[in-house]
Amino acid sequence: MPPSSSLPIAIRARRCPHPAVWCALLAAAALGLLATQAPAQTRPPEPTVSLNVKDRPLGDVLALIGRATGCEFLLDPSWQKVPVTAYLENAPLSVALKRVLSGLNHAIVYQPQNRVKIVIYEASPPRAAPGVPPARLPEPADPLPAPPPEPPDAAPAAEEETQPQG
């Protein structure tokens, strides 16, 4: 076999590409495969909601949104009469629910088959009558007991009088 210097230049220049080049080529191929499958896995567009309500019960407002979107809302019956005020114009469902439930400590759980569970976290539901504050929890007890009262027949302790020395 002749020495390597006698090989033609074209043969000597042919080497395996650098490993980084192979990684880049594989990554590009993988992205190409993902890009062709991506349209099949996209979500349908979120339904939009338009409504204008003032001091309407939450249960009624959710029923309106349900008719517009085809969703079924699951809500504890004790929260059905909470008054809600909201103005929405072509808002996505997620935005509409956040706006309708603003002011309430809540969680929205999207479930299969267009079911949406709404959980409201409070001690008890607020009253539906306007101007009536919601029920409050009692104040916690003071952890330190108060000192016992002094008996009525006890005389106050005499203070020593100091006389100026002269």
Side-chain angles (χ1 to χ4, degrees):
M1 179 177 248
S4 63
S5 62
S6 65
L7 291 175
I9 294 176
I11 294 175
R12 271 190 279 143
R14 245 182 184 187
R15 294 185 190 161
C16 289
H18 193 273
V21 174
W22 281 110
C23 289
L25 289 172
L26 287 173
L31 286 175
L33 286 175
L34 289 176
T36 59
Q37 294 176 354
Q41 297 175 355
T42 59
R43 283 183 165 174
E46 190 173 359
T48 59
V49 177
S50 294
L51 63 97
N52 185 7
V53 294
K54 183 172 182 178
D55 294 327
R56 295 274 308 265
L58 177 58
D60 293 352
V61 174
L62 291 176
L64 290 171
I65 295 172
R67 278 184 288 227
T69 62
C71 291
E72 177 187 355
F73 294 99
L74 308 172
L75 177 69
D76 185 298
S78 61
W79 293 97
Q80 294 284 331
K81 301 222 185 280
V82 174
V84 172
T85 299
Y87 172 77
L88 304 165
E89 186 75 32
N90 291 324
L93 175 62
S94 59
V95 173
L97 290 176
K98 287 177 186 176
R99 182 118 14 111
V100 165
L101 297 168
S102 67
L104 296 171
N105 187 12
H106 69 278
I108 301 169
V109 182
Y110 296 92
Q111 299 177 337
Q113 301 171 343
N114 287 339
R115 288 184 167 190
V116 180
K117 183 175 183 179
I118 297 174
V119 181
I120 300 176
Y121 302 100
E122 289 286 333
S124 62
R127 300 172 194 216
V132 177
R136 296 180 64 142
L137 292 174
E139 295 294 323
D142 190 8
L144 299 175
E150 291 186 27
D153 60 336
E159 294 182 19
E160 294 182 21
E161 292 183 20
T162 57
Q163 295 180 357
Q165 293 180 357

